[in-house]
Amino acid sequence: KAVVSTQSTGTVEQAMADFADNIVWLRSTMLKVSDVPVITFGGSYGGMLAAWMRAKYPSLVQGAIAASAPVWMFVGQPEKCKLGLSGPYYMITQAFRRQDIDCPNRVSQSWSLIDKMGETAEGRAKLEELFHLCHPLTKDTVYLLTDWLSSMYFDMAMVNYPYPTSFLAPLPAWPVYEFCAASNATSDIVEGIAAGAQVYSNYTGAVPCLDLSKDPAGDLGMTGWDFQSCTEMFMPISSNPDLDMFPASSYDLEAIVKYCEAKWKTTTRPYHLKYYFGGQDGFDFSGYSRIVFSNGLLDPWAAGGTANKL
């Protein structure tokens, strides 16, 4: 409800204006030093905001560190996105391959096997048992399981840290390694995937069953992100089984615009950010300074960042 009542403020421009106001307030009220240098930093969306703050508010922000900031992963910028539109899924696949060279191959094979099991009542019952599902599957809902798995791989790669975390779900250090180890412990591919999925869905052992309609992390602001990605943060990501471990998918801008306008009853601006931050072809950062773009090998969003000096 809070998101709906304040959705008009859910924009990049408003977020930066809020940070700018906070900087002025901190300098004048808390620090009582008007010219103290300010360095913005962040990762993923926060990394984009950090870079954009330096670009749009250079008098307030003296520098920025933008980690895995996919500033070039927007509609109209595929030529600047590292590895093309399938970059994030390629990065995920490589993160899994670094932990176990055969792990992505098993994931790739699992999609068709799960689909085949979903065609029969016996197969669906087996999937319900293996994945500890809360609700029975039907032929029309098997896709919920594969969608959940696809999101799980993305999330697991994003938080593949060398220490335990809990902000998405209670996870061990190096969760991708733990997934691959669990999935490789059996010769049955689907059984292995189900065992590995427990690392993400029930690492503590306290979750009685897997509810495919819910993310283990809860909402975590995803409702607000859905609105924002429907108004200006259009990121055309697709998958390519020739390059990654995911089934083929394409980005249908027209269909997404229809979904967004129907759900949020608002005007979509797919190309807005391409030009808002300047440059003849959009997102030309060569006119800015003191922005450090850092991109590692693990975060999927690094595929949409810049790895070259501008």
Side-chain angles (χ1 to χ4, degrees):
K1 292 182 179 179
V3 172
V4 173
S5 63
T6 60
Q7 66 181 41
S8 63
T9 62
T11 64
V12 168
E13 298 93 323
Q14 185 64 57
M16 292 193 302
D18 290 342
F19 278 118
D21 189 60
N22 283 334
I23 291 172
V24 172
W25 180 82
L26 285 170
R27 280 173 164 167
S28 62
T29 305
M30 296 291 292
L31 302 176
K32 299 187 183 303
V33 180
S34 60
D35 60 350
V36 62
V38 171
I39 307 298
T40 55
F41 64 91
S44 192
Y45 174 49
M48 289 188 279
L49 287 178
W52 292 338
M53 281 293 295
R54 169 60 184 163
K56 285 298 181 181
Y57 294 91
S59 63
L60 293 178
V61 175
Q62 281 63 56
I65 300 175
S68 295
V71 292
W72 284 342
M73 193 174 287
F74 289 94
V75 170
Q77 288 292 326
E79 71 280 358
K80 288 194 173 185
C81 183
K82 187 196 307 181
L83 304 173
L85 301 185
S86 63
Y89 288 113
Y90 176 82
M91 296 283 286
I92 295 169
T93 302
Q94 293 304 105
F96 278 73
R97 181 166 285 120
R98 288 187 188 93
Q99 301 303 322
D100 186 293
I101 193 169
D102 192 47
C103 196
N105 298 330
R106 295 170 67 84
V107 173
S108 295
Q109 296 173 52
S110 72
W111 302 113
S112 60
L113 294 174
I114 291 173
D115 287 342
K116 186 175 182 179
M117 292 176 69
E119 293 175 356
T120 66
E122 181 182 3
R124 292 192 295 273
K126 186 64 175 178
L127 290 174
E128 294 162 14
E129 175 189 350
L130 291 175
F131 287 92
H132 305 283
L133 301 185
C134 295
H135 307 293
L137 291 173
T138 68
K139 286 185 177 181
D140 295 330
T141 60
V142 172
Y143 79 92
L144 293 175
L145 176 58
T146 52
D147 282 357
W148 186 90
L149 287 170
S150 182
S151 297
M152 178 198 71
Y153 297 131
F154 207 117
D155 290 348
M156 198 175 284
M158 284 198 300
V159 294
N160 192 29
Y161 302 132
Y163 46 82
T165 60
S166 60
F167 65 91
L168 282 185
L171 293 172
W174 300 117
V176 170
Y177 169 81
E178 297 294 340
F179 169 88
C180 292
S183 66
N184 288 346
T186 174
S187 60
D188 187 287
I189 290 177
V190 177
E191 286 185 12
I193 295 298
Q198 290 292 301
V199 173
Y200 184 80
S201 65
N202 191 21
Y203 181 66
T204 63
V207 180
C209 59
L210 172 59
D211 188 342
L212 296 177
S213 66
K214 298 179 180 178
D215 192 295
D219 181 76
L220 200 66
M222 292 308 295
T223 303
W225 177 253
D226 186 64
F227 169 78
Q228 195 168 6
S229 65
C230 270
T231 52
E232 56 185 8
M233 302 288 286
F234 285 82
M235 309 180 86
I237 303 172
S238 61
S239 54
N240 182 349
D242 291 333
L243 300 174
D244 56 60
M245 64 186 191
F246 295 86
S249 67
S250 59
Y251 185 82
D252 189 336
L253 179 59
E254 182 178 353
I256 291 174
V257 167
K258 288 181 178 178
Y259 158 80
C260 292
E261 292 180 345
K263 180 173 182 178
W264 293 105
K265 304 296 189 294
T266 187
T267 301
T268 58
R269 301 183 295 172
Y271 299 93
H272 170 64
L273 292 182
K274 176 181 177 181
Y275 298 108
Y276 182 73
F277 290 99
Q280 185 175 2
D281 63 347
F283 296 120
D284 180 359
F285 282 84
S286 61
Y288 306 134
S289 63
R290 297 177 186 165
I291 302 175
V292 176
F293 289 101
S294 64
N295 297 284
L297 298 174
L298 300 180
D299 192 338
W301 294 114
T306 176
N308 302 314
K309 185 176 180 179
L310 301 175

